[in-house]
Amino acid sequence: MSNSSAATSSKPRAASSQPSETSSKRKRGVFQKELQHMMYGFGDDINPLPESVTLMEDIVVEYVTELVHKAQDIGSQRGKLSVEDFLYLIRKDNKKLNRCTELLSMNEELKQARKVFESDEEKLRKVFEVDETAPE
């Protein structure tokens, strides 16, 4: 029964028995440690099977690669790739969209905080330089 439901899926699937063009070219094992931690966080064993981690890595890399290619197609119409192209592609998945917008706003907050910190640091440096050069 599960075979018939998989066959009627509306999404086209690549043949999983053959490695995709990009998977044969890329360096494997780059995300192994992070994926192990994520898998453990989602309920897997603290040391998941290497085959499971490799499979997860293949799935993640394939998903991200497809997403980037689709975003490039959208961005090529305007002549450049932007964050909005990715947000447009995930617009129907509220969890992903909300998490992305949360991370983007957090990134902006961090940029502003760094900017304030650097300007405050520069002001302090100038104050100390003036104090050192002042005669006692």
Side-chain angles (χ1 to χ4, degrees):
M1 185 150 99
S2 63
N3 287 344
S4 63
S5 64
T8 59
S9 175
S10 62
K11 293 182 181 180
R13 290 195 155 269
S16 59
S17 62
Q18 298 177 355
S20 66
E21 208 176 287
T22 56
S23 67
S24 62
K25 293 179 185 178
R26 73 176 179 84
K27 189 167 121 179
R28 293 191 178 269
V30 177
F31 305 111
Q32 295 277 321
K33 209 58 162 168
E34 293 83 1
L35 283 170
Q36 284 178 350
H37 293 299
M38 290 174 69
M39 289 170 70
Y40 177 65
F42 282 101
D44 202 337
D45 189 62
I46 192 157
N47 292 315
L49 292 172
E51 295 87 3
S52 299
V53 178
T54 302
L55 177 63
M56 287 298 297
E57 184 179 30
D58 289 344
I59 292 169
V60 168
V61 168
E62 183 178 331
Y63 172 76
V64 171
T65 302
E66 286 178 18
L67 193 67
V68 169
H69 286 210
K70 289 176 184 176
Q72 283 177 325
D73 291 342
I74 294 169
S76 66
Q77 295 169 357
R78 286 190 326 276
K80 67 176 187 173
L81 185 62
S82 71
V83 174
E84 286 75 24
D85 298 329
F86 291 96
L87 294 176
Y88 175 77
L89 288 172
I90 61 171
R91 71 191 181 280
K92 293 180 182 174
D93 189 337
N94 282 330
K95 283 185 179 180
K96 286 179 192 167
L97 184 61
N98 290 337
R99 182 66 175 149
C100 284
T101 53
E102 178 185 353
L103 289 171
L104 287 168
S105 66
M106 196 178 290
N107 187 39
E108 284 302 314
E109 289 177 27
L110 286 171
K111 281 182 186 179
Q112 295 299 323
R114 280 190 209 106
K115 194 180 292 184
V116 168
F117 179 75
E118 289 171 359
S119 67
D120 287 348
E121 190 177 70
E122 186 64 34
K123 289 176 186 175
L124 284 173
R125 192 175 300 128
K126 288 179 182 178
V127 167
F128 284 118
E129 286 175 1
V130 170
D131 286 348
E132 290 174 357
T133 59
E136 292 182 26

PDB file of all heavy atoms in Angstrom, residues 36 39-40 43-49:
ATOM      1  N   GLN A  36      24.783  14.999  13.348  1.00  0.00           N
ATOM      2  CA  GLN A  36      24.704  14.075  14.477  1.00  0.00           C
ATOM      3  C   GLN A  36      24.033  14.754  15.665  1.00  0.00           C
ATOM      4  O   GLN A  36      23.160  14.176  16.316  1.00  0.00           O
ATOM      5  CB  GLN A  36      26.095  13.595  14.887  1.00  0.00           C
ATOM      6  CG  GLN A  36      26.683  12.565  13.968  1.00  0.00           C
ATOM      7  CD  GLN A  36      28.090  12.165  14.389  1.00  0.00           C
ATOM      8  OE1 GLN A  36      28.702  12.774  15.253  1.00  0.00           O
ATOM      9  NE2 GLN A  36      28.595  11.117  13.753  1.00  0.00           N
ATOM     10  N   MET A  39      20.320  15.278  14.851  1.00  0.00           N
ATOM     11  CA  MET A  39      19.589  14.019  14.908  1.00  0.00           C
ATOM     12  C   MET A  39      19.349  13.617  16.363  1.00  0.00           C
ATOM     13  O   MET A  39      18.272  13.151  16.714  1.00  0.00           O
ATOM     14  CB  MET A  39      20.351  12.930  14.146  1.00  0.00           C
ATOM     15  CG  MET A  39      20.329  13.134  12.640  1.00  0.00           C
ATOM     16  SD  MET A  39      21.450  12.047  11.741  1.00  0.00           S
ATOM     17  CE  MET A  39      20.634  10.470  11.944  1.00  0.00           C
ATOM     18  N   TYR A  40      20.343  13.806  17.206  1.00  0.00           N
ATOM     19  CA  TYR A  40      20.185  13.504  18.629  1.00  0.00           C
ATOM     20  C   TYR A  40      19.122  14.415  19.244  1.00  0.00           C
ATOM     21  O   TYR A  40      18.272  13.972  20.014  1.00  0.00           O
ATOM     22  CB  TYR A  40      21.519  13.656  19.358  1.00  0.00           C
ATOM     23  CG  TYR A  40      21.418  13.429  20.849  1.00  0.00           C
ATOM     24  CD1 TYR A  40      21.081  12.178  21.349  1.00  0.00           C
ATOM     25  CD2 TYR A  40      21.645  14.470  21.740  1.00  0.00           C
ATOM     26  CE1 TYR A  40      20.979  11.963  22.716  1.00  0.00           C
ATOM     27  CE2 TYR A  40      21.543  14.260  23.112  1.00  0.00           C
ATOM     28  CZ  TYR A  40      21.214  13.007  23.591  1.00  0.00           C
ATOM     29  OH  TYR A  40      21.112  12.805  24.944  1.00  0.00           O
ATOM     30  N   GLY A  43      15.708  13.172  18.681  1.00  0.00           N
ATOM     31  CA  GLY A  43      15.327  11.892  19.250  1.00  0.00           C
ATOM     32  C   GLY A  43      16.129  10.693  18.817  1.00  0.00           C
ATOM     33  O   GLY A  43      15.835   9.577  19.243  1.00  0.00           O
ATOM     34  N   ASP A  44      17.130  10.860  17.993  1.00  0.00           N
ATOM     35  CA  ASP A  44      17.952   9.726  17.595  1.00  0.00           C
ATOM     36  C   ASP A  44      18.942   9.409  18.718  1.00  0.00           C
ATOM     37  O   ASP A  44      19.020  10.110  19.719  1.00  0.00           O
ATOM     38  CB  ASP A  44      18.704  10.047  16.298  1.00  0.00           C
ATOM     39  CG  ASP A  44      19.137   8.811  15.533  1.00  0.00           C
ATOM     40  OD1 ASP A  44      19.263   7.741  16.151  1.00  0.00           O
ATOM     41  OD2 ASP A  44      19.357   8.917  14.314  1.00  0.00           O
ATOM     42  N   ASP A  45      19.718   8.366  18.530  1.00  0.00           N
ATOM     43  CA  ASP A  45      20.743   7.973  19.484  1.00  0.00           C
ATOM     44  C   ASP A  45      21.832   9.043  19.527  1.00  0.00           C
ATOM     45  O   ASP A  45      22.017   9.775  18.542  1.00  0.00           O
ATOM     46  CB  ASP A  45      21.334   6.628  19.050  1.00  0.00           C
ATOM     47  CG  ASP A  45      22.246   6.032  20.092  1.00  0.00           C
ATOM     48  OD1 ASP A  45      21.754   5.740  21.208  1.00  0.00           O
ATOM     49  OD2 ASP A  45      23.443   5.866  19.803  1.00  0.00           O
ATOM     50  N   ILE A  46      22.556   9.122  20.648  1.00  0.00           N
ATOM     51  CA  ILE A  46      23.613  10.139  20.758  1.00  0.00           C
ATOM     52  C   ILE A  46      24.706   9.909  19.713  1.00  0.00           C
ATOM     53  O   ILE A  46      25.340  10.842  19.249  1.00  0.00           O
ATOM     54  CB  ILE A  46      24.189  10.197  22.185  1.00  0.00           C
ATOM     55  CG1 ILE A  46      25.056  11.434  22.345  1.00  0.00           C
ATOM     56  CG2 ILE A  46      24.984   8.942  22.523  1.00  0.00           C
ATOM     57  CD1 ILE A  46      25.221  11.899  23.758  1.00  0.00           C
ATOM     58  N   ASN A  47      24.918   8.649  19.326  1.00  0.00           N
ATOM     59  CA  ASN A  47      25.862   8.311  18.260  1.00  0.00           C
ATOM     60  C   ASN A  47      25.106   7.553  17.169  1.00  0.00           C
ATOM     61  O   ASN A  47      25.120   6.322  17.126  1.00  0.00           O
ATOM     62  CB  ASN A  47      27.013   7.447  18.793  1.00  0.00           C
ATOM     63  CG  ASN A  47      27.896   8.216  19.738  1.00  0.00           C
ATOM     64  OD1 ASN A  47      28.266   9.351  19.468  1.00  0.00           O
ATOM     65  ND2 ASN A  47      28.224   7.602  20.860  1.00  0.00           N
ATOM     66  N   PRO A  48      24.449   8.283  16.255  1.00  0.00           N
ATOM     67  CA  PRO A  48      23.678   7.604  15.207  1.00  0.00           C
ATOM     68  C   PRO A  48      24.588   6.837  14.251  1.00  0.00           C
ATOM     69  O   PRO A  48      25.790   7.102  14.164  1.00  0.00           O
ATOM     70  CB  PRO A  48      22.953   8.740  14.495  1.00  0.00           C
ATOM     71  CG  PRO A  48      23.732   9.955  14.813  1.00  0.00           C
ATOM     72  CD  PRO A  48      24.400   9.723  16.130  1.00  0.00           C
ATOM     73  N   LEU A  49      24.011   5.909  13.551  1.00  0.00           N
ATOM     74  CA  LEU A  49      24.777   5.133  12.578  1.00  0.00           C
ATOM     75  C   LEU A  49      25.390   6.056  11.521  1.00  0.00           C
ATOM     76  O   LEU A  49      24.730   6.997  11.052  1.00  0.00           O
ATOM     77  CB  LEU A  49      23.874   4.120  11.877  1.00  0.00           C
ATOM     78  CG  LEU A  49      23.345   2.968  12.725  1.00  0.00           C
ATOM     79  CD1 LEU A  49      22.326   2.172  11.927  1.00  0.00           C
ATOM     80  CD2 LEU A  49      24.473   2.080  13.195  1.00  0.00           C
TER      81      LEU A  49
END
